[in-house]
Amino acid sequence: ATASLSAELSRLQSDLVGDGWQVVTHGVSSNDSPASVRSLILADYSADPARVSAVFLFGHVPILESGNLDYDSHGPRPMPADAFYGEVNNDWPTDPASSPSFLPSDVSLMVGRVDLANMPGAGSPMPFPSETELLRNYLNKDHNWRHKLFAVPRLAVVANRVGDDGGQAEAADGYRSFEPLAGGGNVIDVNIDDTAPVAQRWISVITSGSYLWSYACGGSDGTQLGWLGTHQPYNTVYSTDIVDQDAHVVFTMFFGSWLGEWDLPDNIVRSVLATPTMGLAACMAGRPHWFFHHMGLGAPIGYSARLSMNNSTLYKNQSNALTRAVYVALMGDPTLRLDPVAPHKR
């Protein structure tokens, strides 16, 4: 799917160099084994461990399924585990019988994935563009963000349908991160009541305005969230709504059942990456908790992702279930920053 994207990928490499990165590239096939892809990463890391720090998985890079986890009370099952590509000690068994559910050692590399395979837009009035065109559009958005070609106000929204959840308080990830990143008083609570007017529901809010961040949680089957949209009988929002209505959010956190399996078709987390104009990164956050305040100090989003993957004792919550679970993953370019610097124009 990336064969015809040479111009856009070359531009990305130039943008990365302009941001201070040195870039090493490898072409892989979706038919390769995860272990063979990881061997390329390990070779690069071994050659220069002081400077190899991030892995950007672009396209349908092979997905390792690992462990046997039940984070949402829908039964234990293997989960996609991109942390595998950032763990450089080579102590991660890949055979299904012994593959880990939790990190066998710290992830050393920032890892992010942009994978828009299996996004047909089922049920959408118009089918989604092809995988190649979705990837091309993502690269265009990535470039536009880096060059400040679109502006976003410092606003964030939280749609907390799950609530306190017996003390787990998944949406704390939004509230905690958004104050330092968007600024005091710039966090908007979305109406999550059963009787909320259409204009006040999450999908309406994020498509009628523009936002730097969003957190949304609710009952989910992987492609939808209850009470955050307009589809009856449960006022559901679909992943296709996020794309078709062009949700205007740059960075998004979700929580709900089945969302940890971001490799399922039309997954709502990945749908952010398929939006036409703004969506650049997303994750499932809340079980375990994520921490993004480092981005307010200039760190790339991958720094926060890596710390959130590894965290168990550095940042403590009253309740933080499933720390270091293998499914913790960032969908998006791991080198993105909260405040890009516009290039100088002569």
Side-chain angles (χ1 to χ4, degrees):
T2 62
S4 65
L5 300 176
S6 57
E8 289 85 358
L9 289 169
S10 177
R11 182 184 61 191
L12 172 65
Q13 185 165 338
S14 176
D15 287 346
L16 288 167
V17 170
D19 192 27
W21 299 88
Q22 293 181 321
V23 182
V24 178
T25 62
H26 297 285
V28 301
S29 166
S30 57
N31 296 318
D32 292 342
S33 69
S36 69
V37 175
R38 184 167 180 258
S39 68
L40 298 173
I41 298 168
L42 289 179
D44 290 337
Y45 178 79
S46 298
D48 196 354
R51 294 197 292 175
V52 174
S53 60
V55 180
F56 185 0
L57 306 169
F58 185 78
H60 196 40
V61 176
I63 299 166
L64 177 75
E65 300 276 342
S66 186
N68 196 39
L69 281 167
D70 181 13
Y71 83 89
D72 55 5
S73 301
H74 292 294
R77 65 268 196 197
M79 302 291 283
D82 272 357
F84 173 72
Y85 291 117
E87 192 278 311
V88 301
N89 295 319
N90 204 21
D91 59 1
W92 190 312
T94 56
D95 59 290
S98 57
S99 64
S101 296
F102 299 91
L103 299 183
S105 59
D106 278 0
V107 171
S108 297
L109 305 178
M110 310 178 213
V111 181
R113 174 187 288 264
V114 172
D115 189 339
L116 292 167
N118 299 317
M119 295 291 285
S124 172
M126 294 183 62
F128 286 179
S130 68
E131 177 188 356
T132 296
E133 292 309 310
L134 288 172
L135 291 171
R136 189 189 314 278
N137 187 63
Y138 182 88
L139 292 172
N140 289 337
K141 292 189 294 182
D142 189 295
H143 174 76
N144 291 344
W145 176 253
R146 292 176 180 279
H147 287 253
K148 300 195 81 165
L149 296 179
F150 65 90
V152 180
R154 296 194 90 83
L155 293 173
V157 295
V158 177
N160 182 17
R161 177 68 188 190
V162 172
D164 292 342
D165 195 17
Q168 296 191 80
E170 286 84 5
D173 293 20
Y175 293 114
R176 175 176 48 234
S177 293
F178 295 167
E179 285 287 317
L181 298 180
N186 292 335
V187 182
I188 299 166
D189 271 306
V190 174
N191 192 339
I192 48 81
D193 293 341
D194 293 2
T195 58
V198 167
Q200 295 180 16
R201 296 197 177 275
W202 177 73
I203 188 61
S204 302
V205 172
I206 64 169
T207 53
S208 61
S210 297
Y211 300 90
L212 191 59
W213 280 92
S214 172
Y215 187 99
C217 58
S220 178
D221 68 356
T223 64
Q224 56 186 306
L225 287 167
W227 304 106
L228 304 185
T230 59
H231 298 283
Q232 298 304 318
Y234 302 112
N235 288 311
T236 302
V237 61
Y238 299 156
S239 59
T240 49
D241 298 330
I242 292 172
V243 179
D244 291 340
Q245 299 179 42
D246 193 13
H248 288 171
V249 181
V250 182
F251 306 106
T252 302
M253 288 183 267
F254 293 100
F255 181 76
S257 295
W258 302 102
L259 297 185
E261 287 153 289
W262 47 258
D263 52 342
L264 295 176
D266 284 338
N267 168 266
I268 203 167
V269 180
R270 289 192 295 130
S271 73
V272 170
L273 310 185
T275 56
T277 59
M278 288 190 185
L280 287 173
C283 64
M284 186 188 76
R287 199 178 296 172
H289 290 296
W290 280 61
F291 306 87
F292 283 105
H293 56 276
H294 326 86
M295 294 181 70
L297 299 170
I301 193 169
Y303 182 97
S304 296
R306 179 179 59 190
L307 189 148
S308 299
M309 290 176 176
N310 291 332
N311 180 63
S312 59
T313 59
L314 179 61
Y315 297 142
K316 296 184 178 181
N317 291 68
Q318 183 176 3
S319 177
N320 194 7
L322 294 166
T323 55
R324 298 173 65 87
V326 296
Y327 61 75
V328 180
L330 174 68
M331 300 294 106
D333 178 348
T335 69
L336 291 168
R337 302 183 193 275
L338 185 72
D339 296 298
V341 178
H344 177 66
K345 294 182 179 180
R346 296 188 179 186

